Amino acid sequence: MFFLKKKKKETFDDELKITRESFFSKIKNIIFLKKSIDIGVLDQIENLLLSADVGTKTTIKIINNLENTIKSNGYKYTKDLYNLLKKEINNFFIGVDKNDLEKTIKNYSKKPYVIMVVGVNGVGKTTTIGKLAFLFKKKGLSPIIGAADTFRAAAINQLEIWSNKAEVPLIKQHINADPASVSYDTLQSAKSKNKDVVLIDTAGRLQNRVSLMEELSKISRVMKKIIPESPHEIMLILDASTGQNAFEQVKKFISFVKISSIILTKIEGTAKGGVIIGIMDQFKIPIKYIGIGETIKDLKKFDEIEFINSLFQ
Ligand SMILES: Nc1nc2c(ncn2[C@@H]2O[C@H](COP(=O)(O)OP(=O)(O)O)[C@@H](O)[C@H]2O)c(=O)[nH]1
Ligand SMILES: [Mg+2]
């Protein structure tokens, strides 16, 4: 499946294909099949937004806003709906931090910039760290990785494979080592080797929330002993294909750590790309990248204009 991959264009057209075809193309059909706006048309749009995992709250907001705009401006025709809906979705991105992470790291004078990567098991934390390390290195930055998910030996091995692929150093200890101690070592090494950016992998046992919370705050506390401003960024990884579950994960994590950014993985294989819209509306946390496959290059910078244009292509 990997041989015939065509060169990726700088849009999300390919990655959002499934989301677009199962949702936005249907919206086009509704709009082209009926000339005048009526309750039925809005109901159909509501159902499609729900089925794309935009989320109930956000969907209701969109439909209410559409109704109000239609009433107050006297819109009669379904052809107007397309642009109105596009504008509604665009509004959710207003006020969300748009800083480019690579630029932030480059411009940060007090090296290193420390990123702690969090998320539940299986969402793609370790893989994304490999991809980020590769990307940062390609952009002329020097990263270092810390294997602070010490819960399973396989997790450390998996991270080591990625660090080799990315040709980026890894700091690790043995299985069941204290994650805070691994993070401490990593920061120390990063400082002494003048690294630009640190990526810390963490365990994701959300079933044991209290101990996970304690573990994450202990890692942060210990890091501050070496670099008081660290972690500069806590990045939450979410699996787009889990749809509504992703919202629940954001809620849980923000209740105990300050999440500064999100990466949404596995977007290429899901029709649930609408979660992006719900996340922007409900949490206003910037999505910095999207994961679009299992290889080291399958990470793309998120750009909301490209995202919306690809959906409404
Ligand atoms: N299709 C696809 N698979 C991904 C993506 N990111 C991660 N994965 C896969 O998701 C699975 C779990 O990833 P892993 O990094 O181990 O998750 P972790 O438990 O959060 O560290 C692996 O099989 C990865 O190859 C992505 O963007 N697209
Ligand atoms: Mg992992």
PDB file of all heavy atoms in Angstrom, residues 105-127:
ATOM      1  N   ILE A 105       9.868  27.493  18.386  1.00  0.00           N
ATOM      2  CA  ILE A 105      11.077  26.827  18.888  1.00  0.00           C
ATOM      3  C   ILE A 105      12.323  27.554  18.384  1.00  0.00           C
ATOM      4  O   ILE A 105      13.244  27.826  19.153  1.00  0.00           O
ATOM      5  CB  ILE A 105      11.109  25.337  18.457  1.00  0.00           C
ATOM      6  CG1 ILE A 105       9.901  24.592  19.034  1.00  0.00           C
ATOM      7  CG2 ILE A 105      12.410  24.670  18.898  1.00  0.00           C
ATOM      8  CD1 ILE A 105       9.695  23.191  18.475  1.00  0.00           C
ATOM      9  N   LYS A 106      12.314  27.896  17.100  1.00  0.00           N
ATOM     10  CA  LYS A 106      13.477  28.596  16.517  1.00  0.00           C
ATOM     11  C   LYS A 106      13.740  29.920  17.225  1.00  0.00           C
ATOM     12  O   LYS A 106      14.879  30.295  17.451  1.00  0.00           O
ATOM     13  CB  LYS A 106      13.235  28.854  15.026  1.00  0.00           C
ATOM     14  CG  LYS A 106      13.814  27.745  14.176  1.00  0.00           C
ATOM     15  CD  LYS A 106      13.726  28.037  12.692  1.00  0.00           C
ATOM     16  CE  LYS A 106      14.051  26.745  11.942  1.00  0.00           C
ATOM     17  NZ  LYS A 106      13.417  26.655  10.643  1.00  0.00           N
ATOM     18  N   ASN A 107      12.649  30.624  17.558  1.00  0.00           N
ATOM     19  CA  ASN A 107      12.812  31.958  18.150  1.00  0.00           C
ATOM     20  C   ASN A 107      13.032  31.922  19.654  1.00  0.00           C
ATOM     21  O   ASN A 107      13.220  32.956  20.279  1.00  0.00           O
ATOM     22  CB  ASN A 107      11.565  32.820  17.863  1.00  0.00           C
ATOM     23  CG  ASN A 107      11.410  33.098  16.385  1.00  0.00           C
ATOM     24  OD1 ASN A 107      12.389  33.043  15.639  1.00  0.00           O
ATOM     25  ND2 ASN A 107      10.190  33.372  15.954  1.00  0.00           N
ATOM     26  N   TYR A 108      12.951  30.740  20.239  1.00  0.00           N
ATOM     27  CA  TYR A 108      13.088  30.655  21.685  1.00  0.00           C
ATOM     28  C   TYR A 108      14.572  30.712  22.051  1.00  0.00           C
ATOM     29  O   TYR A 108      15.343  29.826  21.681  1.00  0.00           O
ATOM     30  CB  TYR A 108      12.443  29.357  22.188  1.00  0.00           C
ATOM     31  CG  TYR A 108      12.338  29.300  23.685  1.00  0.00           C
ATOM     32  CD1 TYR A 108      11.497  30.180  24.364  1.00  0.00           C
ATOM     33  CD2 TYR A 108      13.092  28.398  24.420  1.00  0.00           C
ATOM     34  CE1 TYR A 108      11.409  30.152  25.741  1.00  0.00           C
ATOM     35  CE2 TYR A 108      12.993  28.354  25.803  1.00  0.00           C
ATOM     36  CZ  TYR A 108      12.156  29.235  26.443  1.00  0.00           C
ATOM     37  OH  TYR A 108      12.061  29.207  27.808  1.00  0.00           O
ATOM     38  N   SER A 109      14.943  31.754  22.771  1.00  0.00           N
ATOM     39  CA  SER A 109      16.383  31.954  22.995  1.00  0.00           C
ATOM     40  C   SER A 109      16.940  31.072  24.110  1.00  0.00           C
ATOM     41  O   SER A 109      18.085  30.650  24.062  1.00  0.00           O
ATOM     42  CB  SER A 109      16.656  33.425  23.289  1.00  0.00           C
ATOM     43  OG  SER A 109      15.803  33.843  24.330  1.00  0.00           O
ATOM     44  N   LYS A 110      16.101  30.780  25.110  1.00  0.00           N
ATOM     45  CA  LYS A 110      16.607  29.978  26.235  1.00  0.00           C
ATOM     46  C   LYS A 110      16.434  28.493  25.959  1.00  0.00           C
ATOM     47  O   LYS A 110      15.521  27.852  26.453  1.00  0.00           O
ATOM     48  CB  LYS A 110      15.841  30.345  27.517  1.00  0.00           C
ATOM     49  CG  LYS A 110      16.214  31.710  28.061  1.00  0.00           C
ATOM     50  CD  LYS A 110      15.970  31.822  29.534  1.00  0.00           C
ATOM     51  CE  LYS A 110      14.627  32.168  29.995  1.00  0.00           C
ATOM     52  NZ  LYS A 110      14.184  32.179  31.263  1.00  0.00           N
ATOM     53  N   LYS A 111      17.304  27.940  25.164  1.00  0.00           N
ATOM     54  CA  LYS A 111      17.188  26.522  24.793  1.00  0.00           C
ATOM     55  C   LYS A 111      17.246  25.603  26.007  1.00  0.00           C
ATOM     56  O   LYS A 111      17.967  25.923  26.942  1.00  0.00           O
ATOM     57  CB  LYS A 111      18.343  26.159  23.875  1.00  0.00           C
ATOM     58  CG  LYS A 111      18.232  26.688  22.484  1.00  0.00           C
ATOM     59  CD  LYS A 111      19.460  26.185  21.748  1.00  0.00           C
ATOM     60  CE  LYS A 111      19.597  26.823  20.393  1.00  0.00           C
ATOM     61  NZ  LYS A 111      20.701  26.240  19.647  1.00  0.00           N
ATOM     62  N   PRO A 112      16.683  24.454  26.016  1.00  0.00           N
ATOM     63  CA  PRO A 112      15.790  23.903  25.003  1.00  0.00           C
ATOM     64  C   PRO A 112      14.321  24.237  25.286  1.00  0.00           C
ATOM     65  O   PRO A 112      13.963  24.597  26.399  1.00  0.00           O
ATOM     66  CB  PRO A 112      16.015  22.392  25.174  1.00  0.00           C
ATOM     67  CG  PRO A 112      16.228  22.230  26.645  1.00  0.00           C
ATOM     68  CD  PRO A 112      16.966  23.475  27.084  1.00  0.00           C
ATOM     69  N   TYR A 113      13.510  24.065  24.260  1.00  0.00           N
ATOM     70  CA  TYR A 113      12.062  24.204  24.361  1.00  0.00           C
ATOM     71  C   TYR A 113      11.518  22.797  24.656  1.00  0.00           C
ATOM     72  O   TYR A 113      11.786  21.854  23.914  1.00  0.00           O
ATOM     73  CB  TYR A 113      11.521  24.722  23.031  1.00  0.00           C
ATOM     74  CG  TYR A 113      10.063  25.101  23.026  1.00  0.00           C
ATOM     75  CD1 TYR A 113       9.662  26.366  23.437  1.00  0.00           C
ATOM     76  CD2 TYR A 113       9.088  24.202  22.592  1.00  0.00           C
ATOM     77  CE1 TYR A 113       8.315  26.729  23.420  1.00  0.00           C
ATOM     78  CE2 TYR A 113       7.749  24.562  22.567  1.00  0.00           C
ATOM     79  CZ  TYR A 113       7.374  25.829  22.981  1.00  0.00           C
ATOM     80  OH  TYR A 113       6.043  26.183  22.958  1.00  0.00           O
ATOM     81  N   VAL A 114      10.824  22.655  25.770  1.00  0.00           N
ATOM     82  CA  VAL A 114      10.438  21.315  26.220  1.00  0.00           C
ATOM     83  C   VAL A 114       8.962  21.014  25.940  1.00  0.00           C
ATOM     84  O   VAL A 114       8.074  21.749  26.363  1.00  0.00           O
ATOM     85  CB  VAL A 114      10.719  21.146  27.732  1.00  0.00           C
ATOM     86  CG1 VAL A 114      10.316  19.763  28.208  1.00  0.00           C
ATOM     87  CG2 VAL A 114      12.194  21.410  28.032  1.00  0.00           C
ATOM     88  N   ILE A 115       8.736  19.933  25.222  1.00  0.00           N
ATOM     89  CA  ILE A 115       7.366  19.524  24.892  1.00  0.00           C
ATOM     90  C   ILE A 115       7.066  18.190  25.570  1.00  0.00           C
ATOM     91  O   ILE A 115       7.761  17.192  25.355  1.00  0.00           O
ATOM     92  CB  ILE A 115       7.175  19.367  23.366  1.00  0.00           C
ATOM     93  CG1 ILE A 115       7.537  20.679  22.644  1.00  0.00           C
ATOM     94  CG2 ILE A 115       5.738  18.941  23.036  1.00  0.00           C
ATOM     95  CD1 ILE A 115       7.533  20.562  21.122  1.00  0.00           C
ATOM     96  N   MET A 116       6.053  18.184  26.419  1.00  0.00           N
ATOM     97  CA  MET A 116       5.620  16.928  27.037  1.00  0.00           C
ATOM     98  C   MET A 116       4.409  16.427  26.244  1.00  0.00           C
ATOM     99  O   MET A 116       3.451  17.168  26.038  1.00  0.00           O
ATOM    100  CB  MET A 116       5.241  17.180  28.501  1.00  0.00           C
ATOM    101  CG  MET A 116       4.749  15.958  29.216  1.00  0.00           C
ATOM    102  SD  MET A 116       4.970  16.104  31.006  1.00  0.00           S
ATOM    103  CE  MET A 116       3.401  16.763  31.466  1.00  0.00           C
ATOM    104  N   VAL A 117       4.501  15.186  25.787  1.00  0.00           N
ATOM    105  CA  VAL A 117       3.440  14.642  24.937  1.00  0.00           C
ATOM    106  C   VAL A 117       2.554  13.714  25.764  1.00  0.00           C
ATOM    107  O   VAL A 117       3.037  12.758  26.374  1.00  0.00           O
ATOM    108  CB  VAL A 117       4.055  13.910  23.726  1.00  0.00           C
ATOM    109  CG1 VAL A 117       2.980  13.279  22.856  1.00  0.00           C
ATOM    110  CG2 VAL A 117       4.902  14.882  22.900  1.00  0.00           C
ATOM    111  N   VAL A 118       1.254  14.015  25.798  1.00  0.00           N
ATOM    112  CA  VAL A 118       0.331  13.220  26.618  1.00  0.00           C
ATOM    113  C   VAL A 118      -0.846  12.713  25.776  1.00  0.00           C
ATOM    114  O   VAL A 118      -1.102  13.194  24.680  1.00  0.00           O
ATOM    115  CB  VAL A 118      -0.204  14.039  27.830  1.00  0.00           C
ATOM    116  CG1 VAL A 118       0.932  14.542  28.705  1.00  0.00           C
ATOM    117  CG2 VAL A 118      -1.074  15.214  27.384  1.00  0.00           C
ATOM    118  N   GLY A 119      -1.562  11.741  26.332  1.00  0.00           N
ATOM    119  CA  GLY A 119      -2.719  11.179  25.628  1.00  0.00           C
ATOM    120  C   GLY A 119      -2.939   9.751  26.093  1.00  0.00           C
ATOM    121  O   GLY A 119      -2.029   9.145  26.664  1.00  0.00           O
ATOM    122  N   VAL A 120      -4.120   9.212  25.844  1.00  0.00           N
ATOM    123  CA  VAL A 120      -4.404   7.845  26.302  1.00  0.00           C
ATOM    124  C   VAL A 120      -3.682   6.829  25.409  1.00  0.00           C
ATOM    125  O   VAL A 120      -3.169   7.175  24.339  1.00  0.00           O
ATOM    126  CB  VAL A 120      -5.936   7.541  26.371  1.00  0.00           C
ATOM    127  CG1 VAL A 120      -6.647   8.566  27.232  1.00  0.00           C
ATOM    128  CG2 VAL A 120      -6.555   7.484  24.996  1.00  0.00           C
ATOM    129  N   ASN A 121      -3.643   5.606  25.842  1.00  0.00           N
ATOM    130  CA  ASN A 121      -2.945   4.538  25.102  1.00  0.00           C
ATOM    131  C   ASN A 121      -3.478   4.373  23.685  1.00  0.00           C
ATOM    132  O   ASN A 121      -4.690   4.390  23.481  1.00  0.00           O
ATOM    133  CB  ASN A 121      -3.127   3.199  25.823  1.00  0.00           C
ATOM    134  CG  ASN A 121      -2.115   3.035  26.927  1.00  0.00           C
ATOM    135  OD1 ASN A 121      -1.077   3.692  26.925  1.00  0.00           O
ATOM    136  ND2 ASN A 121      -2.414   2.166  27.881  1.00  0.00           N
ATOM    137  N   GLY A 122      -2.562   4.204  22.761  1.00  0.00           N
ATOM    138  CA  GLY A 122      -2.956   3.838  21.405  1.00  0.00           C
ATOM    139  C   GLY A 122      -3.327   4.993  20.483  1.00  0.00           C
ATOM    140  O   GLY A 122      -3.615   4.781  19.307  1.00  0.00           O
ATOM    141  N   VAL A 123      -3.314   6.225  20.993  1.00  0.00           N
ATOM    142  CA  VAL A 123      -3.712   7.349  20.129  1.00  0.00           C
ATOM    143  C   VAL A 123      -2.617   7.726  19.126  1.00  0.00           C
ATOM    144  O   VAL A 123      -2.895   8.350  18.101  1.00  0.00           O
ATOM    145  CB  VAL A 123      -4.114   8.601  20.951  1.00  0.00           C
ATOM    146  CG1 VAL A 123      -5.434   8.379  21.667  1.00  0.00           C
ATOM    147  CG2 VAL A 123      -3.023   8.995  21.936  1.00  0.00           C
ATOM    148  N   GLY A 124      -1.374   7.352  19.450  1.00  0.00           N
ATOM    149  CA  GLY A 124      -0.283   7.665  18.517  1.00  0.00           C
ATOM    150  C   GLY A 124       0.788   8.576  19.095  1.00  0.00           C
ATOM    151  O   GLY A 124       1.513   9.234  18.341  1.00  0.00           O
ATOM    152  N   LYS A 125       0.937   8.603  20.403  1.00  0.00           N
ATOM    153  CA  LYS A 125       1.951   9.471  21.034  1.00  0.00           C
ATOM    154  C   LYS A 125       3.363   9.150  20.550  1.00  0.00           C
ATOM    155  O   LYS A 125       4.089  10.018  20.079  1.00  0.00           O
ATOM    156  CB  LYS A 125       1.941   9.304  22.572  1.00  0.00           C
ATOM    157  CG  LYS A 125       0.743   9.866  23.267  1.00  0.00           C
ATOM    158  CD  LYS A 125       0.848   9.731  24.777  1.00  0.00           C
ATOM    159  CE  LYS A 125       0.864   8.276  25.260  1.00  0.00           C
ATOM    160  NZ  LYS A 125      -0.344   7.506  24.911  1.00  0.00           N
ATOM    161  N   THR A 126       3.745   7.871  20.700  1.00  0.00           N
ATOM    162  CA  THR A 126       5.115   7.474  20.376  1.00  0.00           C
ATOM    163  C   THR A 126       5.408   7.701  18.893  1.00  0.00           C
ATOM    164  O   THR A 126       6.448   8.257  18.530  1.00  0.00           O
ATOM    165  CB  THR A 126       5.307   5.995  20.774  1.00  0.00           C
ATOM    166  OG1 THR A 126       4.933   5.870  22.154  1.00  0.00           O
ATOM    167  CG2 THR A 126       6.724   5.543  20.599  1.00  0.00           C
ATOM    168  N   THR A 127       4.475   7.287  18.044  1.00  0.00           N
ATOM    169  CA  THR A 127       4.638   7.471  16.603  1.00  0.00           C
ATOM    170  C   THR A 127       4.784   8.955  16.267  1.00  0.00           C
ATOM    171  O   THR A 127       5.648   9.347  15.474  1.00  0.00           O
ATOM    172  CB  THR A 127       3.384   6.915  15.878  1.00  0.00           C
ATOM    173  OG1 THR A 127       3.158   5.584  16.355  1.00  0.00           O
ATOM    174  CG2 THR A 127       3.545   6.910  14.387  1.00  0.00           C
TER     175      THR A 127
END
